[in-house]
Amino acid sequence: MTPEQVAAASKPLVLELGEAFSRCPGTLRRARLLGISGWAFYITGRAGALGDVRAETVAAALGFIAPDAVADGWDAAARTVPPVEVAAANLVECCRWGGQHLGDAPRVARLVGLLERIVDAAEASGMPLFAAWRAMPVPDRSPGARTAVGLLLLREHFAGAYLLAVRAAGMTPLEAVLAGPEGEAGAAACGWPPPYPPVGPLVRRRLWAEAVTDRLASTAFRALGPGEGAELLDLLTAVRLHLRRPVPAG
């Protein structure tokens, strides 16, 4: 497989697995412990790695969330706790979840080795959020925690590449969301109010942007040797199956 093929095939797995920790009840409880809402924790937990910046900067880095919705979460959290502390708490929760849910995943030590090589080789130009997260110190060095962090970082790399590709396609972030699988429901979930522009003319541009995303992200996957791309896909698939396995009662 070529690096671009590996990037394209791994993207849906990374996007799913890289945010799985954020849906954990334990992660959501952390917001209450900090005294902020779940939305404020999501926005600031993700963008707080940028430091004490203005909401407009955060909206530009996140891209696909409406600026007003970003400001609501960011400013509310900033009144209670510094943004970088929320990001650090989010990273702690990511590590905790990884240790609990990925520590016994099949060949997790091998997976984290591949993920960290890809993340270390990734080009961060034009991707401030990915660069900020990659610079954050990881508080837990166990294989499960490092795997969860590697997935989070690679997810941010894909997200940053997609934002660049969308703008290169001549689309706004809102148009990209509308042309995506969730359509207007996705736009509403991201805080964009109606009325919305027509989707039809946007679909072909979004597909082009998806292809460019794979091309941009693929440079990181050049760190893998022959056969390691297919191995990575097998390990990511195994992790997804591991997370979906039934939990024994009692």
Side-chain angles (χ1 to χ4, degrees):
M1 301 178 71
T2 67
E4 191 167 333
Q5 288 171 329
V6 177
S10 66
K11 182 169 62 179
L13 291 164
V14 169
L15 295 180
E16 175 187 339
L17 297 172
E19 69 167 4
F21 83 95
S22 66
R23 298 190 296 271
C24 175
T27 302
L28 300 176
R29 280 196 298 271
R30 180 59 70 108
R32 294 195 294 273
L33 292 174
L34 290 172
I36 59 179
S37 69
W39 179 249
F41 183 78
Y42 171 76
I43 293 295
T44 312
R46 188 175 167 204
L50 295 170
D52 188 14
V53 298
R54 294 182 181 275
E56 292 85 353
T57 303
V58 176
L62 292 175
F64 298 103
I65 302 175
D68 287 347
V70 169
D72 286 345
W74 183 262
D75 292 341
R79 288 193 290 268
T80 302
V81 59
V84 70
E85 289 188 18
V86 184
N90 197 38
L91 188 57
V92 167
E93 291 303 320
C94 179
C95 289
R96 176 196 58 76
W97 178 87
Q100 290 180 354
H101 297 277
L102 302 181
D104 59 345
R107 302 180 63 209
V108 66
R110 175 60 172 163
L111 175 58
V112 74
L114 295 176
L115 288 172
E116 289 179 347
R117 279 163 53 193
I118 296 166
V119 167
D120 288 345
E123 174 57 58
S125 299
M127 302 181 187
L129 201 53
F130 167 71
W133 269 109
R134 189 167 61 177
M136 291 277 287
V138 179
D140 184 343
R141 301 302 298 173
S142 66
R146 287 165 55 202
T147 299
V149 173
L151 290 166
L152 180 155
L153 289 172
L154 193 51
R155 185 181 189 279
E156 289 294 353
H157 184 62
F158 273 119
Y162 185 51
L163 183 57
L164 289 174
V166 163
R167 301 301 293 123
M171 301 173 70
T172 67
L174 170 58
E175 289 173 336
V177 173
L178 287 171
E182 297 182 4
E184 292 187 0
C190 290
W192 299 98
Y196 302 120
V199 174
L202 304 174
V203 174
R204 183 172 295 181
R205 288 189 182 187
R206 187 187 70 82
L207 293 175
W208 183 87
E210 291 279 1
V212 172
T213 299
D214 300 337
R215 196 172 309 133
L216 290 172
S218 69
T219 58
F221 290 83
R222 294 174 188 168
L224 301 182
E228 289 183 331
E231 183 183 7
L232 173 69
L233 295 174
D234 288 342
L235 291 173
L236 290 173
T237 301
V239 165
R240 181 167 64 176
L241 293 173
H242 178 76
L243 292 174
R244 293 179 176 180
R245 73 196 190 284
V247 178

